Amino acid sequence: MLLNFYLNCNSNLTQSLANLLINRTLKSIGNSKLIGALSSRTRHLSSAATADQPTSDGPSSLFIFSSDGKEDKSNRNAQDDSIYVKSPSSSSSKREAASSVTMPMSFMRGSIVGKRFYSQVTTRPADDGNGWTVMLDYRTLKTPSNRPLKLPTLALAKAIAAEWEYQETDGIRPFTMPLMKHACTALERVPLTRPKVIDYLMKKFNQDLVFCRAPNDNDITSVVHDRQVEKMDPLLDWVTSEFGFKPAVYSSFFGGKQEDGLTKAIETLLKQTDDCELAAIDAIASSAHSLIIAIGIYCGKLQIGEAIELIRLEEDIQVDRWGLVEGGHDVDAADLRVQISSATVFLGLSRST
C-alpha cells in the first residue's frame, strides 16, 4: 500500500514539475522528447549527509558501465554524457561473478545521464544472504563507491527496482528515482559521516520551524500566529509527553534556547537510529527546516500530509491572502511533496515488519 502511494505520488508530482519548468509545453513526463533536468529548482537547505558531494562535472561525473565494474578511462571526457557498456566476458561463470553496474556521483545530482541499456529489472538475495540486491539484466546494481547496493528489506529492493523499471528508453532520469538516492546516501554517506550528520541536525535544532512563532501584535501576523497555535501546539504537546520537556517558543529569527534535557533526549534518539533511519530523518529535516517534524514522522506521530501542512503553513496563508505565483509557489509545493513523501516511504520500506 505504501509502495503504491509512493509510485503514484512520485509519477504525478514529477510530471507536474516537468510541465511547469519546461514552459508547460509537454503533456506528460512519459513523452520521449522530454529533455533536460528537473532538479534545477531544489530547496535551499541541503542535507548534511549529502552536503560534501562533489559539484564538478569533470571525469568523475561520467555515467559509465562495464561488466567488471571498472570505468573505461580511455573514454573519459568532461563534455561527454554517453554511457559506455563493455562486452560481457565469454566465460559465463566469470561474468556472473564480476558483472555489475556502478552508479557515479553524478547520479546523486540529477539530469538525464544516458539511454536505457537494460531490458529486465529483478531482485535477488545478496550473495552473503544478508539483505537484497537489484539486478539490471545480469548486472548487479552498485553504489558510487563500487559496493553492491545491498538493501535491508525486499520491499525496499522491489521499490528501487520499480524506479529502474520506470525509466524510458530515451534516457535514465535520476530525478525520478529518489529512493535510489536515499539508499546510496544511507549506504555510502551516513556510515562515514554519522557523527557529523547528528551534529549538524542538533546545531539547527534551536532554530526549528515549529519553535518559531509570528508576533501577535498586528492584524497581519496575528493570523499566522493563531494558525501556528492551532496546528503546531498539538505537536509540541506530543514532544512534551514523549521526551518529558516542554519546548520553548519564540518570535526571533535567530531562534532561542531549548532545555538541555530536551536537546539531549533528541540527540540520544538520533544516535539510536540505524543508517537508513538517520538518512531519512536528515532528508526530511533538511526539506522541512524542522528536526521535530522529521522525528514526528519517524515516530509515527505525523503523516505525510500533516507534515506538509505544517511546513507550508505560513506560505499557504500568504497564497490565500495575496494569490499564487504560477511557476513558483506551485512548483515549490510539488517539490516539497516529492521530497517528504520519498523520504518517508524510504523510511517505512527500510524497516523490517
Side-chain angles (χ1 to χ4, degrees):
M1 190 71 178
L2 190 62
L3 175 57
N4 290 335
F5 168 81
Y6 160 72
L7 292 176
N8 292 332
C9 176
N10 186 32
S11 177
N12 293 337
L13 292 175
T14 303
Q15 175 179 330
S16 174
L17 283 167
N19 290 342
L20 288 166
L21 293 177
I22 311 177
N23 300 319
R24 298 184 295 276
T25 58
L26 300 176
K27 295 182 179 179
S28 168
I29 194 171
N31 191 313
S32 62
K33 296 181 180 179
L34 177 60
I35 301 175
L38 181 61
S39 57
S40 58
R41 293 186 61 91
T42 57
R43 304 192 67 82
H44 298 295
L45 181 61
S46 299
S47 66
T50 58
D52 59 346
Q53 293 176 3
T55 58
S56 170
D57 288 326
S60 64
S61 69
L62 282 177
F63 201 53
I64 300 177
F65 302 94
S66 64
S67 60
D68 60 359
K70 298 180 180 179
E71 294 183 355
D72 186 352
K73 296 181 180 180
S74 64
N75 287 323
R76 284 186 169 184
N77 187 316
Q79 303 299 322
D80 186 3
D81 291 328
S82 301
I83 293 179
Y84 301 95
V85 183
K86 290 183 179 179
S87 300
S89 170
S90 57
S91 171
S92 59
S93 60
K94 180 180 180 181
R95 182 182 69 180
E96 291 174 358
S99 60
S100 64
V101 180
T102 302
M103 297 299 98
M105 288 300 179
S106 62
F107 183 88
M108 306 288 281
R109 298 196 297 274
S111 79
I112 299 177
V113 295
K115 292 184 178 180
R116 174 170 172 161
F117 61 94
Y118 54 91
S119 59
Q120 185 178 18
V121 185
T122 58
T123 59
R124 68 174 179 83
D127 292 336
D128 60 1
N130 183 23
W132 299 81
T133 59
V134 177
M135 303 291 293
L136 306 181
D137 294 333
Y138 62 85
R139 305 172 182 86
T140 301
L141 196 56
K142 291 193 174 183
T143 65
S145 65
N146 201 30
R147 298 175 182 175
L149 187 74
K150 191 161 61 174
L151 303 163
T153 66
L154 176 59
L156 181 58
K158 286 186 175 296
I160 292 177
E163 287 185 332
W164 283 93
E165 184 63 40
Y166 174 79
Q167 300 305 303
E168 302 292 339
T169 56
D170 66 325
I172 296 175
R173 295 167 170 80
F175 53 79
T176 65
M177 307 168 74
L179 294 182
M180 178 67 184
K181 179 179 178 180
H182 291 314
C184 289
T185 299
L187 296 173
E188 295 279 276
R189 299 287 182 178
V190 173
L192 300 178
T193 62
R194 169 175 280 270
K196 292 182 179 180
V197 173
I198 295 175
D199 183 59
Y200 178 85
L201 291 171
M202 296 310 302
K203 283 182 178 179
K204 299 293 182 180
F205 179 61
N206 287 320
Q207 289 80 41
D208 198 286
L209 173 70
V210 301
F211 299 151
C212 185
R213 288 292 164 83
N216 192 26
D217 55 5
N218 61 75
D219 292 340
I220 296 179
T221 59
S222 63
V223 174
V224 178
H225 178 274
D226 293 344
R227 188 76 62 84
Q228 288 174 327
V229 170
E230 175 189 356
K231 298 295 184 180
M232 293 186 176
D233 274 10
L235 180 60
L236 296 181
D237 292 340
W238 171 79
V239 172
T240 302
S241 63
E242 186 75 13
F243 298 101
F245 298 91
K246 183 177 178 61
V249 296
Y250 37 78
S251 299
S252 171
F253 284 112
F254 300 101
K257 182 72 169 65
Q258 299 297 328
E259 289 189 49
D260 291 340
L262 178 59
T263 301
K264 291 179 180 178
I266 296 295
E267 186 174 5
T268 299
L269 182 147
L270 295 177
K271 290 179 178 179
Q272 293 173 347
T273 59
D274 61 35
D275 291 340
C276 288
E277 290 172 336
L278 185 57
I281 290 174
D282 181 44
I284 295 170
S286 66
S287 296
H289 306 284
S290 172
L291 178 57
I292 291 297
I293 289 177
I295 290 176
I297 292 177
Y298 168 79
C299 294
K301 169 61 178 176
L302 293 175
Q303 300 300 315
I304 293 172
E306 295 171 329
I308 292 174
E309 182 181 10
L310 294 179
I311 298 166
R312 289 188 50 81
L313 186 147
E314 294 181 48
E315 188 169 341
D316 285 342
I317 292 175
Q318 296 299 323
V319 169
D320 292 341
R321 185 180 182 90
W322 306 108
L324 180 143
V325 177
E326 292 188 4
H329 294 125
D330 47 358
V331 172
D332 287 342
D335 178 61
L336 176 65
R337 183 169 290 276
V338 170
Q339 301 304 322
I340 300 299
S341 299
S342 63
T344 303
V345 170
F346 174 80
L347 174 64
L349 294 178
S350 68
R351 290 170 165 173
S352 301
T353 56

